[in-house]
Structure formats: structure tokens, C-alpha cells
Amino acid sequence: MEKFDPFVEEWVLFSTNPRYNLVEKCLKLAQILEYPELDIESNIQKINEIAKSLKIRLSEVKNPTYLISMLNEHLFDTLEFHGDTDDYYNPKNNFLNEVLTKKSGIPITLSILYVEVAKKIGLDLRICGFPSHVVVKHEEDIILDPFGGGRLLSIEDLEDILFRNFGEEVEFSPEFLDELPEEKILVRIIRNLKNSYAQSYAYDKALRCANMILAVEPDSPDEVRDKGIILERLQKYDQAMIHLNRYLEIAPESADVDFILELIRTTREKTSR
């Protein structure tokens, strides 16, 4: 039987509570996973200060194009926030408190900050779940890339992002620019962290992330599989077998079936020693 994790329980209760907004939930995630002494309120105040210092610079004109231009100038030129191209996969790039401190991050965390500051100056922007590279949109026709300094993206730019990450066989689809619901944004951040932790052999933390996702998406095939793989790495072979077999039940046509079957075989051998 798996050990109860109070941190996962705390996360589920907080992340599903409608009293808290996305920024608060992102900071709570950081507090649970890495920064137990984190002062959530002081980090919210940092964002409020960013917005306040921008408001002072605004004229009476309030059209979206002007506001976007001023937002970009303030965040990326004056305050020097930028995409972290040097250490992109560092887990810290997924934590909003770290992004505020070091003024760099990845597309998803920079987009959260960008949209939050925009909201405070009366600009309605939405986060889009574009594959491998979260972007932001105003209405349906203005697509912006906070990771790239808030630059305006054309369909050709978006296709280039797809080709770079998935190869030219992947075609652009308008649904890639659908708004990403809050719970999906949080899952995407936790999935990033799970992968980063696993790659750096921090399997206990990777397991906690997998459990956080499965608590809200219990039938996610990828998470069931990844939890099985992580448990195998932690030498919890009986539990690993349960999740790996369940993965084959719910995703029997997956491309990695042969790999999982072989992992089950070797795991079974380890349990019989």
C-alpha cells in the first residue's frame, strides 16, 4: 500500500479552491515543493509593484495595441525580464517566486506574469496551450510571445516553433491557440517539474509531482506510466508493476508498448530475486 503524502493532499485542497487565483496557486506550488518558508503575500506584492510602476507611465489612451506596447517596454526593456535560454530546463524556471527574483523564466511562467500584470492595467490577455511553447493572445487575432520579449507572432512563426520541437510532419492547428484552463496550466507546470526532477535523479520529488497530477487527472495514461517508471527507479517494484500494467490496460495502442512490456519483464525478475 502506498504511503499517504500530506503535501499532495494540501496541494489538491489549495489548487481546487476557487478563492485562490492562478498566481496564488503557482506560489503555493513553489512553497509545497521547494520553498517551505516562502511568503506568498510578499511575492504577490512584487507583482503589484510591477503593475503600479507601469500604471504611472500610461497615458489616458487605453487601446490594446498601446497597452501591449507599454507592457512589453516596461517588463522586457525597463525591468529586463527575459526568457532563460541558457538554463531552460532548470526546475527553478517553473517557480514564479524564482522568476520574479532572477527576472527570467520559461514560456509558461513568463506568460503567467505577463497576463497578471496586463490584467492590472485593464488589458485582457489569455494563456494558450500551444504545444511545447505557451503563448498569450488578445482576443483571437493578436498572438504574443512573453518568452521572446512579448513579440507579435504570425502563423509562420508558430509553425517554426512546431517544426523546431516536433519536426515538419506536425501541422499547425487553430486549436493549438485555445485558451488553457487554469487547472491545465498548473498540470503543465507540474509535468515540467516532474520531468526535470526525474532527469536529475530526484525521484522522490518526481513521484510527488506525478501524484499531484494523478490526484486531479487520475486516468491520465502518461502520468500512470510515468509513475510506474519512477516507482521502478525507486526500487518499489510491486507498486511499479501495478501502474505499468494499468498503463497497458488504458493505452494498449501506445507507441511505447514494447518498452513498457520489457520494463515489466525486468521488474518482475527483480521482484522474484
Side-chain angles (χ1 to χ4, degrees), residues 40-58:
I40 290 175
E41 195 52 47
S42 71
N43 279 272
I44 291 170
Q45 195 53 41
K46 285 182 185 178
I47 298 175
N48 291 340
E49 289 299 325
I50 291 171
K52 190 189 294 184
S53 60
L54 171 56
K55 274 183 181 175
I56 294 167
R57 301 176 57 196
L58 297 178

Side-chain angles (χ1 to χ4, degrees), residues 156-212:
E156 289 74 23
D157 294 326
L158 293 165
E159 286 175 338
D160 284 344
I161 293 170
L162 279 179
F163 295 161
R164 275 202 310 275
N165 289 290
F166 301 105
E168 296 197 10
E169 65 275 6
V170 177
E171 290 186 19
F172 173 80
S173 170
E175 70 186 31
F176 291 162
L177 295 174
D178 286 351
E179 181 181 354
L180 201 58
E182 183 179 280
E183 63 271 16
K184 297 289 186 187
I185 294 171
L186 294 167
V187 164
R188 198 151 163 170
I189 293 171
I190 300 170
R191 192 168 283 137
N192 288 346
L193 285 162
K194 178 195 68 182
N195 293 336
S196 291
Y197 288 141
Q199 285 163 13
S200 56
Y201 308 105
Y203 293 123
D204 285 324
K205 288 180 179 178
L207 180 62
R208 177 167 288 161
C209 290
N211 284 332
M212 283 175 158

Side-chain angles (χ1 to χ4, degrees), residues 2 29-30 51 70 75 98 110 124 197 199 212 215 247 270:
E2 286 187 47
L29 178 65
M70 293 299 290
L75 269 183
E98 284 285 355
L110 287 172
D124 183 27
Y197 288 141
Q199 285 163 13
M212 283 175 158
Y247 174 65
K270 291 169 186 172

Side-chain angles (χ1 to χ4, degrees), residues 6-271:
F7 291 98
V8 173
E9 180 72 13
E10 183 182 8
W11 169 248
V12 171
L13 290 172
F14 195 96
S15 65
T16 57
N17 190 330
R19 283 177 46 214
Y20 303 115
N21 63 30
L22 178 60
V23 167
E24 290 169 317
K25 290 173 183 178
C26 287
L27 292 167
K28 184 66 175 179
L29 178 65
Q31 189 185 66
I32 287 173
L33 283 175
E34 287 285 358
Y35 309 93
E37 305 302 318
L38 179 68
D39 184 340
I40 290 175
E41 195 52 47
S42 71
N43 279 272
I44 291 170
Q45 195 53 41
K46 285 182 185 178
I47 298 175
N48 291 340
E49 289 299 325
I50 291 171
K52 190 189 294 184
S53 60
L54 171 56
K55 274 183 181 175
I56 294 167
R57 301 176 57 196
L58 297 178
S59 71
E60 292 305 307
V61 179
K62 291 293 183 279
N63 72 68
T65 308
Y66 165 73
L67 290 175
I68 289 168
S69 175
M70 293 299 290
L71 174 63
N72 287 345
E73 184 183 317
H74 187 63
L75 269 183
F76 305 118
D77 296 337
T78 305
L79 298 180
E80 298 184 339
F81 280 89
H82 59 280
D84 188 347
T85 53
D86 295 328
D87 198 13
Y88 187 93
Y89 294 102
N90 188 326
K92 290 182 177 181
N93 281 324
N94 292 279
F95 296 122
L96 208 51
N97 56 308
E98 284 285 355
V99 173
L100 288 166
T101 299
K102 65 193 187 72
K103 295 192 173 182
S104 66
I106 52 176
I108 195 163
T109 41
L110 287 172
S111 292
I112 291 166
L113 175 63
Y114 191 78
V115 167
E116 184 66 14
V117 175
K119 188 195 306 178
K120 294 179 185 302
I121 62 167
L123 182 60
D124 183 27
L125 302 178
R126 303 300 167 102
I127 295 174
C128 309
F130 196 77
S132 79
H133 193 104
V134 168
V135 294
V136 164
K137 68 180 176 182
H138 175 69
E139 296 183 342
E140 296 300 322
D141 55 337
I142 297 178
I143 311 300
L144 302 157
D145 180 15
F147 185 77
R151 72 185 180 112
L152 187 65
L153 296 173
S154 65
I155 296 301
E156 289 74 23
D157 294 326
L158 293 165
E159 286 175 338
D160 284 344
I161 293 170
L162 279 179
F163 295 161
R164 275 202 310 275
N165 289 290
F166 301 105
E168 296 197 10
E169 65 275 6
V170 177
E171 290 186 19
F172 173 80
S173 170
E175 70 186 31
F176 291 162
L177 295 174
D178 286 351
E179 181 181 354
L180 201 58
E182 183 179 280
E183 63 271 16
K184 297 289 186 187
I185 294 171
L186 294 167
V187 164
R188 198 151 163 170
I189 293 171
I190 300 170
R191 192 168 283 137
N192 288 346
L193 285 162
K194 178 195 68 182
N195 293 336
S196 291
Y197 288 141
Q199 285 163 13
S200 56
Y201 308 105
Y203 293 123
D204 285 324
K205 288 180 179 178
L207 180 62
R208 177 167 288 161
C209 290
N211 284 332
M212 283 175 158
I213 298 171
L214 286 167
V216 293
E217 293 185 357
D219 297 317
S220 167
D222 287 356
E223 297 312 317
V224 171
R225 176 201 62 203
D226 287 358
K227 182 172 178 179
I229 293 170
I230 294 163
L231 286 165
E232 190 275 335
R233 300 284 187 270
L234 286 165
Q235 300 181 0
K236 297 180 179 181
Y237 300 128
D238 290 338
Q239 293 175 35
M241 292 282 285
I242 292 168
H243 288 84
L244 294 172
N245 280 307
R246 181 157 176 253
Y247 174 65
L248 294 181
E249 283 177 31
I250 59 181
E253 305 298 321
S254 294
D256 60 355
V257 162
D258 288 345
F259 167 75
I260 297 300
L261 284 169
E262 178 62 17
L263 184 58
I264 288 171
R265 186 188 68 77
T266 58
T267 305
R268 189 181 292 117
E269 286 177 357
K270 291 169 186 172
T271 60

